[in-house]
Amino acid sequence: MRSRKGPRISTGLHRLAYLSKYGPDSIPPGGQVHHRCGNRECCHRDHLEVLSAADHSKLTNSERGRSLREAARSHWRATGCKAAELSRKFGVHSETGRRWIHRWKADPDAA
């Protein structure tokens, strides 16, 4: 079997779906296709939009962070655990766990 030379080029199916609807020049250099629906496996062309790499990173990180905080809050409410346990369980810095708990105690309705 012959090995391939050069870098491996991989294009996500969602990117191909976007290109098929809007054309080959619809994604500028450095542009990234974002899933408006939040489902990274979705290829519905109406759920996709092009963002700059910086905007895409900000948006996806905030979405992932929100779901992590919500899961951590549910766990904290159910167990009453301390910040160290919360931090270990959810893979965040101990100061982040302390800050979350402090915020949740100060405003029980805050997410």
Side-chain angles (χ1 to χ4, degrees), residues 68 71-73 75-76 85-92 100:
L68 181 69
R73 183 175 181 214
H75 178 76
W76 174 74
E85 179 188 333
L86 192 72
S87 301
R88 278 192 303 277
K89 180 161 181 65
F90 291 93
V92 297
W100 285 350

Side-chain angles (χ1 to χ4, degrees), residues 18-72:
Y18 188 90
L19 289 169
S20 74
K21 181 173 183 176
Y22 298 105
D25 297 326
S26 60
I27 303 175
Q32 296 184 355
V33 178
H34 172 70
H35 299 85
R36 282 189 220 146
C37 61
N39 179 358
R40 294 173 68 186
E41 295 178 10
C42 177
C43 292
H44 193 290
R45 295 180 298 181
D46 293 334
H47 296 183
L48 304 172
E49 66 182 331
V50 173
L51 299 174
S52 70
D55 287 343
H56 188 239
S57 181
K58 277 187 241 176
L59 193 57
T60 55
N61 288 341
S62 70
E63 289 169 357
R64 290 180 194 141
R66 182 177 349 167
S67 60
L68 181 69
R69 282 190 310 275
E70 289 171 359

Side-chain angles (χ1 to χ4, degrees), residues 87-106:
S87 301
R88 278 192 303 277
K89 180 161 181 65
F90 291 93
V92 297
H93 192 275
S94 59
E95 185 56 36
T96 300
R98 279 194 278 284
R99 190 173 58 247
W100 285 350
I101 291 173
H102 180 75
R103 187 177 309 142
W104 298 331
K105 284 181 178 178

